[in-house]
């Protein structure tokens, strides 16, 4: 990965941090896009200490605010006009209805829409590398329970009818539909793949989930995959020559999974989601 520039969202902890560490060890130049700059700088320090790689930049980016994404992407495009790999890793899970700065349901907004905008803004940089850039979207097996409810992407049904798990599954299905549509639209220029990292023992469901879910997650964690292992598939998709020409696929444990949920193959739905997302971020695309 020497000479390659990799952008990773949510790289200050969990699977994102492990992915960053392992790509730093392979010599990549890293751009860590983190909601909290201080946490990002701490992570960069820890990565340098572990790998001796000093080629790490931290940029503040809150994926729940399209203006913050636009500002971060502008910085990347100015300072790093060639990006080899974009790992859309950041994610949030919550049991309560929250909205993003622009009024979208938080999990849809952060997990899908924020990454949709970031990817659009970085596409010119991802089209520069000779081999073509690689886009990696961290999805989840939870997508199997997902469907896209276009009537409720702004929390229209209200708090009482809000289901955090339904919204999370929806956002992770959106990751796969987006991946497949990207692969179709930019087949000549970039590759786009997505993955399930396994059930990984991070603090993911300890942050914004309700106390019961957080407790269950804490009890389950010792049986889950270590975050280092949880990064296996992201690192594989970012670095392996085996997948240089593979695009539009869903991976689990470094293996291409032929059949994610049937709904993830729905091309009309993917095109509809693309149009919806493009319209939602339109004001931030320039
Ligand atoms: N853990 C699992 O079992 C599992 C299973 C399937 C899929 N996944 C997926 O794996 C990805 C990484 O999750 P993880 O388990 O590593 O969780 P994690 O340890 O909680 O890390 C999530 C990262 O996303 C960042 N993030 C959250 N909201 C953000 C926002 N508004 N703007 C920018 N960054 C934001 C977090 O930043 P802060 O530190 O500031 O909160 C953190 O860096 C997620 O996409 C998740 O859906 C995880």
């Amino acid at each position: 990965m020497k000479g390659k520039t990799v952008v990773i969202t949510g790289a200050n902890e969990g699977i994102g941090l492990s992915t960053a560490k392992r790509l730093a060890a392979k010599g990549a130049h890293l751009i860590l896009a983190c909601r909290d700059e201080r946490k990002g700088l701490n992570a960069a320090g820890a990565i340098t200490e572990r790998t001796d790689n000093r080629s790490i930049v931290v940029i503040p980016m809150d994926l729940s605010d399209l203006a913050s994404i636009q500002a971060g992407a502008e910085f990347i495009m100015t300072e790093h006009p060639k990006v080899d790999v974009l790992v859309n890793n950041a994610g949030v899970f919550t049991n309560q209805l929250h909205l993003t700065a622009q009024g979208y349901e938080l999990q849809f907004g952060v997990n899908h829409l924020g990454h949709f905008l970031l990817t659009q803004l970085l596409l010119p940089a991802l089209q520069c590398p000779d081999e073509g850039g690689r886009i990696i979207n961290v999805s989840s097996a939870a997508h199997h329970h997902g469907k896209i409810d276009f009537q409720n992407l702004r929390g229209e049904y209200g708090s009482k009818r809000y289901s955090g798990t339904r919204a999370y599954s929806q956002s992770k299905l959106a990751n796969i539909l987006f991946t497949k549509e990207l692969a179709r639209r930019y087949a000549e220029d970039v590759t786009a793949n997505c993955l399930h990292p396994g059930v990984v023992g991070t603090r993911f469901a300890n942050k914004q989930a309700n106390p019961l879910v957080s407790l269950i997650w804490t009890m389950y964690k010792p049986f889950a995959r270590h975050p280092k292992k949880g990064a296996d598939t992201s690192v594989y998709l970012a670095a392996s020559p085996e997948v240089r020409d593979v695009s539009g696929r869903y991976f689990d444990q470094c293996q291409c999974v032929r059949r994610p949920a049937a709904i993830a193959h729905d091309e009309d739905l993917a095109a509809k989601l693309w149009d919806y997302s493009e319209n939602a971020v339109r004001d931030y695309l320039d």
Side-chain angles (χ1 to χ4, degrees), residues 93-95 107 142 145-146 162-171 213:
F93 173 78
T94 175
N95 299 104
Q107 300 189 75
H145 309 289
Y162 184 72
S163 158
T165 48
R166 205 181 303 142
Y168 180 67
S169 300
Q170 170 174 261
S171 72
V213 171

Side-chain angles (χ1 to χ4, degrees), residues 9-17 33-36 39 61-65 88-92 106 110-111 115 138-142 168 172 175 195-205 207-208 217 224:
T9 65
N12 55 281
E13 76 170 286
I15 297 166
L17 176 58
C34 299
R35 166 168 53 180
D36 181 329
K39 286 193 209 166
M61 185 180 292
D62 184 345
L63 288 158
S64 71
D65 183 352
N88 287 322
N89 162 82
V92 62
L106 187 72
V110 170
N111 302 353
H115 285 129
V138 180
S139 176
S140 167
Y168 180 67
K172 293 289 132 181
N175 292 155
L195 66 114
H196 170 56
V199 179
V200 185
T202 63
R203 294 197 315 118
F204 188 58
K207 292 172 167 178
Q208 294 200 51
W217 182 248

Side-chain angles (χ1 to χ4, degrees), residues 32 39 58 81-82 136 138 171 185 216:
L32 312 183
K39 286 193 209 166
V58 175
K82 175 177 86 72
I136 298 159
V138 180
S171 72
R185 291 188 185 223
I216 293 169

Side-chain angles (χ1 to χ4, degrees), residues 131-255:
E131 283 186 359
R134 299 183 186 199
I135 300 163
I136 298 159
N137 294 323
V138 180
S139 176
S140 167
H143 82 272
H144 279 278
H145 309 289
K147 52 182 188 173
I148 310 288
D149 186 349
F150 288 97
Q151 311 310 314
N152 193 29
L153 295 178
R154 284 177 161 272
E156 286 90 337
Y157 298 166
S159 306
K160 285 207 176 118
R161 286 180 61 192
Y162 184 72
S163 158
T165 48
R166 205 181 303 142
Y168 180 67
S169 300
Q170 170 174 261
S171 72
K172 293 289 132 181
L173 171 62
N175 292 155
I176 305 183
L177 292 166
F178 173 44
T179 303
K180 288 180 170 287
E181 190 65 19
L182 253 179
R184 276 190 283 275
R185 291 188 185 223
Y186 294 95
E188 303 298 318
D189 308 321
V190 296
T191 62
N193 290 294
C194 55
L195 66 114
H196 170 56
V199 179
V200 185
T202 63
R203 294 197 315 118
F204 188 58
N206 295 129
K207 292 172 167 178
Q208 294 200 51
N210 69 34
L212 180 63
V213 171
S214 178
L215 178 68
I216 293 169
W217 182 248
T218 300
M219 284 163 54
Y220 183 74
K221 257 195 258 185
F223 307 101
R225 201 173 279 178
H226 191 278
K228 215 154 69 179
K229 290 290 292 168
D232 280 357
T233 309
S234 295
V235 172
Y236 173 72
L237 289 173
S240 171
E242 275 174 30
V243 283
R244 194 172 48 203
D245 300 318
V246 177
S247 194
R249 303 289 181 182
Y250 172 70
F251 286 75
D252 187 358
Q253 299 193 45
C254 305
Q255 301 287 318

Side-chain angles (χ1 to χ4, degrees), residues 83-111:
V83 172
D84 297 274
V85 182
L86 167 62
V87 188
N88 287 322
N89 162 82
V92 62
F93 173 78
T94 175
N95 299 104
Q96 281 185 332
L97 175 61
H98 298 284
L99 301 180
T100 66
Q102 285 73 29
Y104 292 90
E105 185 279 321
L106 187 72
Q107 300 189 75
F108 176 78
V110 170
N111 302 353

